[in-house]
Each structure stands twice: as C-alpha cells, then as structure tokens.
Amino acid sequence: MTRNYPYSVDVAIVGSGPTGAAYARILSELSPEATIATFEVGPQLTATPGMHVKNISDLAERAVAQRRSEGPAASGQISTGGPVDTMDGYADAAPRLVRPGTFLLPDGYRQEGEDGLPAAAMSSNVGGMGAHWTGACPRPGGQERVAFLDDLDELLDEAERLLSVDAHAFDDAPFSAEVRKRLADAVDDGRAEDRRVASMPLAVVRHDDGSLTWSGSDAVFGDSTRANPNFELFDESLVARVLTDAGTGAARGVRVRDLQTGEEHEVAARFVVVAGDSLRTPQLLWASNVRPRALGRYLNDQPQTVYAVRLRDVEPDEVADDIPEAAEITKQSGVNWVPFTDDEPFHGQVMQLDASPVPLAGDEPGRGTIVGLGWFCAKDLQESDRVEFDDDAVDPYGMPKMRIHYTLSEADHRSLEASRASILRAAAALGEPLDDSAPLTFPPGASLHYQGSVRMGAVDDGTSVCGPTSEVWAAPGLFVAGNGVIPTSIACNPTLLAVALAVGGARDIASRLTARSGEERN
Ligand SMILES: Cc1cc2nc3c(=O)[nH]c(=O)nc-3n(C[C@H](O)[C@H](O)[C@H](O)COP(=O)(O)OP(=O)(O)OC[C@H]3O[C@@H](n4cnc5c(N)ncnc54)[C@H](O)[C@@H]3O)c2cc1C
C-alpha cells in the first residue's frame, strides 16, 4: 500500500542519524510552524524512533535490531543469532573489520596500489550509526577546531545538550580515577586546562539506580520533535535524487523511492538537508548532478593504534562489592580521555575491562584492572583521497556505485609510528603489557569516523562543498550534514562536532523560514 508522502514540505531531511535528527530538533524548536519530513532508507527498529540498540534489554531482540541495520542485504535475512555486544570483534586484526549493526562496502573499497578503506562501514536504520555507537563526545582542540567559525564553542554546547552528554557518568567505575591520575601524571605537564586528561564525555544518561540510557537519535529528536505535529518520519524510503532548479541550481525537493512498494514520489521542499553519512551524502549529490569540484574529496579516516595493559599495584577484589546491583557500568566503565593537542596530535580513548578494544582471551581479571588504550591519529589531508561514483554501475540500492581512492602518506606513516610510541608511554604509566606483542594498527576505515567528503569552507575556492552554515555552494537551499562536513583533520570522535555544525545549519534555515513568514505577512 502506498504511504502518504506529503506533496510539499518546508524542509526535507535525508537520513535520520544524529545529524539529520539535529536539524529536525532545532527546526522544531525554532520554527514549530515549519513542515518537516525526514526520509530514512533503513527500517525503524524501535517504537521510539532512533533509540540506541543497547537500550533494548532483550539480547535476542537487540541482535535482530542490529541485523536489520546492516544494509540492503539485511532485509529478509533476519535471524536472532549473531553478536549483540557492540564491542565484539573490535580487536579483530582481520583486514575487513565489521561491527554489529554496520555493513561494509561490497567492493570498490581499495584500488590497485593504494591502501583503500577496507573497513569502511555504514548503517541503514532509523538512527543511523547513532543507534550503534559508543557515544564518546570529546571536544575538538588545537588544529582540529574550525577556525573560521566564531561561534564554535556555543555550537558545541548546544550539541552536548542535544546528545545528552555527561562527562562524569562513570567516575566511580573501578579504578577509573586511578587510571586518570596515572595518565595525568604522565602526560599533563604543559597542557592547557581543557587538554588535560579527563573522563571521556559520553552521550549517556546514568539514572539514580545506576542504569543507563544511551543516546541515539531519539535523544537528539527529543520531545519537541516527537510532539511536533508538523514533523513526519518515513522509514524504508530512499531519497534517490535531490531535485534542483535547472536555472538557479536551487533545491526544490526530493524524489523518494518507497522501498515497501518500489513506487517513486516527488516531494517539493524549500530546503533539502542531506544527512546520509560521509559516503552516501556525496553519492546523493552526485546522483542529483550537484557536483562541486571538492565533492567526495579530502576523504579522511583516523588511523588507529590499540594496546592493552594490566594495571599495576592494585587489589582487584577490594572494589567488587561497592557497585550497585543495577549499575551497568562494566560495559563502558572507566572511559578516560587523553585529549588531542597540536604537540601530541593523538586522541586517546582509554577503556577498562570488557570495554577494552583488545580481547581478554582466557583472562579472568578483576573488574577494571585490564586497560585498553586506543590512539587515533589525524590524517594528512589529500585531495586525491576520495570517493568516486559511477555514472553507469549502481550499488544494491540502485545508487551510483562507489569507488574509494585512499592512501596513507609518508606523514601518515610517521604519525602512526609516533602514535605507537605515545601509546606505549601512556601504557607504561598504567601497568604491564598483557603479552609481548606490539601495539596493533587497525585497517583503514576501522575508526568509523569518515570526514571531509562534503567539507565546509569559509569561501568557495574549489576545496570545499559547502559554506559555513553547511549550504552547498551554488545550490541555494541545499544543505549537507554529517562527519563529511568537517573540514579539519580531526583525531577525536567526530559526532559532537558534526552535530554542532548541523545546529548552525538548522539555525540558518530557521532564520530564513522566519524571514519568509514575515514577508508573507507584510
Ligand atoms: C560501533 C560504533 C561506534 C561508534 N562510536 C563513536 C563514538 O564513540 N563517538 C563518535 O563520535 N562516533 C562514533 N561512531 C560514529 C557515529 O555513530 C557517527 O559519527 C554518527 O552516527 C554520524 O551521524 P550522521 O547522522 O552523520 O550519520 P549516520 O548516523 O550514519 O546516519 C545516516 C543515515 O542516513 C541514511 N541514508 C543514507 N543515504 C540515504 C538516502 N539516499 N535516503 C534515505 N536515507 C539515507 C542512512 O541509512 C543512515 O541511517 C561510532 C559508530 C559505530 C558504528
């Protein structure tokens, strides 16, 4: 049966991950009279749209939700089997690492003689990857910051509000404070206050009984979007084209394919926001013949090194009884943060026990005594690192097929080498290695943080796709969202920054909608 897609809306949003949801939320708050439709190619997994799968307590149901998120091949192959712990396989040294709830590019991820992005992954579901993520929300620092955005700090404040970020959710986790102290003693000297070792800000609400609610897009949508009678969300709806005016290039709507029936519909829209992730946002622009020179270029992922140690000089049993029964802190317990600085350009994520990125094979440690360290590097940005699209061949969704060109430069190899030395220094401050193996480097793409493919710029000089409020150059009314918009080379987890940039874009649309209703009244 055909669904009731609208004929016309003020704002059409493509994708329901955290950045698409941020547009819906800010517009619901600032322009409640505006009509908004969000189109999501994947299925809605939970009654409340966009919930994090970790909030589904039944493990079999959680596994089904993860399988349903795993792209075009997922539909029809749903079983209750498979991993449900979203950290499973995290330390797998396999060349194509894949996490539950995500799916890999079937091909085209590496070209002859290049490194490629073999672990490049996506999620297709209401909530996007934000239904599966770890929730680490550090602020960018030093060269990671977008220098031409004067209001960046205020936008980041707002992104923290939307994502319900808590910097102290696990402060009482076993040995978390001890880990922080040892790291601080080792690295804090000479650092600015906001760049010192700290608890990792996480998108999670810890309730009084210790139970947790992880933020997915549901948190970002918030009650104001859910209660907005002018907002609608359509799942299993692929936006196949953005429609633009042939003369002005301005956005005028979207063509949507109802995956339940195969029928296509045109929905007119004054503003179109494409928030389809860093690979599929440029794909949709390409398919729509919106092809600025920088489209798909400057693609970057964060090269990643991991290591693990056993904390020295601690008594594992002394804390075991102190944890409230309902507390779920073991899952991500003691997530600590070694911030990026220009002098020490690595983002350090330090996790304990079963949150460790390194497997604990056969090991029965005391809670919190095994510490996993993950060091992310900032990529040496190259225009030639890019996702290209095919005008003739299509992917399983029928969209232009992707081909990734990606190479780690000499500078990247030096950076990885330096990250190994840096992680070993931090590890030595904490304890002893689990064995004599060297730090492990993950395959490119494993960070799941792909940036740059629709990057923002201060001016239209051919090195960017959109301006400072995310509006695509020479395509008035067309906005892009997601990690792809991030113009700087960042090592820290990108979602907070991407949501902050989305807030700026949504405010721009809201102010133009307000100006238009003012004109119509006069
Ligand atoms: C296991 C895991 C752990 C992670 N941990 C962290 C972390 O700790 N911190 C962090 O910052 N980030 C983390 N990430 C990454 C984080 O989830 C992403 O940065 C974030 O979800 C990006 O939000 P987004 O809205 O831009 O894109 P997404 O969440 O990817 O959502 C994009 C949505 O658009 C839809 N879509 C695409 N094209 C179309 C189309 N043509 N028509 C309709 N719909 C379309 C997709 O199906 C998808 O649902 C993690 C990811 C995973 C999988």
Side-chain angles (χ1 to χ4, degrees):
M1 192 158 77
T2 300
R3 281 182 286 180
N4 288 328
Y5 291 110
Y7 287 109
S8 165
V9 289
D10 290 309
V11 187
I13 301 172
V14 185
S16 63
T19 61
Y23 272 85
R25 167 77 168 269
I26 296 294
L27 287 164
S28 294
E29 289 178 350
L30 299 182
S31 302
E33 72 295 340
T35 50
I36 307 164
T38 290
F39 303 99
E40 166 57 55
V41 68
Q44 183 168 325
L45 306 173
T46 50
T48 304
M51 208 170 92
H52 199 300
V53 300
K54 273 197 285 185
N55 300 330
I56 305 173
S57 52
D58 182 289
L59 294 188
E61 271 180 42
R62 194 187 299 175
V64 169
Q66 289 172 330
R67 295 294 83 73
R68 293 182 72 206
S69 307
E70 292 169 0
S75 42
Q77 296 182 6
I78 299 160
S79 83
T80 53
V84 295
D85 180 342
T86 53
M87 297 305 286
D88 271 7
Y90 197 67
D92 196 333
R96 302 200 70 204
L97 191 56
V98 63
R99 256 61 62 85
T102 70
F103 62 102
L104 297 169
L105 273 183
D107 48 36
Y109 52 84
R110 181 167 39 215
Q111 310 310 317
E112 186 77 29
E114 301 180 2
D115 296 302
L117 283 181
M122 294 165 275
S123 297
S124 285
N125 53 276
V126 172
M129 272 196 180
H132 309 283
W133 69 323
T134 309
C137 283
R139 285 192 173 218
Q143 63 160 49
E144 293 183 309
R145 290 171 59 86
V146 185
F148 57 83
L149 290 182
D150 295 337
D151 56 350
L152 183 63
D153 287 314
E154 194 271 322
L155 292 173
L156 290 165
D157 289 345
E158 190 67 346
E160 286 174 347
R161 175 178 76 94
L162 266 48
L163 288 161
S164 303
V165 175
D166 183 347
H168 300 287
F170 299 118
D171 278 2
D172 58 349
F175 304 118
S176 178
E178 182 61 25
V179 167
R180 251 187 325 277
K181 182 179 174 310
R182 292 183 190 185
L183 288 170
D185 289 346
V187 310
D188 270 358
D189 206 19
R191 285 179 174 236
E193 203 175 334
D194 69 334
R195 297 285 103 190
R196 294 189 188 143
V197 171
S199 300
M200 179 68 79
L202 285 169
V204 67
V205 174
R206 184 164 171 200
H207 305 284
D208 289 344
D209 65 355
S211 62
L212 303 172
T213 304
W214 292 94
S215 302
S217 287
D218 59 338
V220 181
F221 282 127
D223 289 338
S224 40
T225 310
R226 282 185 289 273
N228 181 354
N230 294 320
F231 172 76
E232 287 185 285
L233 169 67
F234 299 92
D235 72 344
E236 298 185 273
S237 298
L238 171 81
V239 174
R241 295 285 181 277
V242 175
L243 307 172
T244 55
D245 184 274
T248 63
R252 58 174 184 83
V254 291
R255 187 183 315 145
V256 187
R257 186 176 309 143
D258 182 347
L259 296 189
Q260 294 172 359
T261 63
E263 288 173 18
E264 295 210 345
H265 302 255
E266 289 201 354
V267 178
R270 171 131 189 263
F271 295 96
V272 175
V273 179
V274 184
D277 77 37
S278 295
L279 299 177
R280 286 180 284 178
T281 289
Q283 179 188 51
L284 178 54
L285 265 59
W286 179 271
S288 311
N289 219 13
V290 178
R291 301 178 179 181
R293 179 181 160 72
L295 189 72
R297 294 179 176 273
Y298 304 96
L299 179 64
N300 65 103
D301 159 69
Q302 301 164 349
Q304 194 184 350
T305 301
V306 297
Y307 197 58
V309 292
R310 186 186 302 275
L311 275 184
R312 81 168 63 85
D313 299 334
V314 290
E315 287 296 328
D317 290 332
E318 68 196 31
V319 291
D321 297 333
D322 295 351
I323 314 293
E325 211 170 289
E328 301 171 36
I329 53 177
T330 53
K331 283 285 181 224
Q332 297 295 333
S333 65
V335 179
N336 284 314
W337 174 30
V338 180
F340 174 97
T341 67
D342 289 345
D343 293 335
E344 188 76 3
F346 312 109
H347 165 67
Q349 200 163 320
V350 182
M351 301 188 267
Q352 288 167 258
L353 206 74
D354 60 357
S356 163
V358 176
L360 305 176
D363 209 307
E364 283 298 331
R367 295 179 71 177
T369 60
I370 302 292
V371 182
L373 301 97
W375 256 224
F376 296 78
C377 306
K379 175 90 174 73
D380 172 29
L381 297 189
Q382 303 292 332
E383 190 191 31
S384 53
D385 290 327
R386 64 195 186 278
V387 51
E388 283 181 348
F389 304 99
D390 203 308
D391 275 324
D392 302 314
V394 292
D395 72 8
Y397 282 120
M399 298 295 282
K401 202 172 160 69
M402 298 181 198
R403 197 170 44 243
I404 305 275
H405 285 275
Y406 200 79
T407 304
L408 294 176
S409 68
E410 285 301 313
D412 288 322
H413 286 291
R414 282 197 301 275
S415 173
L416 268 169
E417 193 55 47
S419 79
R420 286 189 276 271
S422 172
I423 210 170
L424 286 173
R425 276 196 303 278
L430 295 174
E432 317 309 337
L434 298 188
D435 54 37
D436 56 6
S437 43
L440 183 67
T441 299
F442 279 167
S447 76
L448 302 172
H449 303 159
Y450 322 123
Q451 296 122 197
S453 55
V454 285
R455 71 204 293 249
M456 181 183 272
V459 292
D460 184 8
D461 61 1
T463 68
S464 59
V465 167
C466 64
T469 64
S470 305
E471 189 172 23
V472 175
W473 301 120
L478 175 58
F479 286 67
V480 281
N483 302 330
V485 178
I486 297 172
T488 46
S489 175
I490 70 168
C492 73
N493 317 67
T495 310
L496 182 78
L497 177 55
V499 168
L501 301 181
V503 168
R507 286 177 179 170
D508 186 15
I509 294 177
S511 69
R512 285 152 70 177
L513 286 168
T514 308
R516 186 187 62 168
S517 29
E519 279 162 22
E520 282 167 1
R521 270 196 306 275
N522 292 333

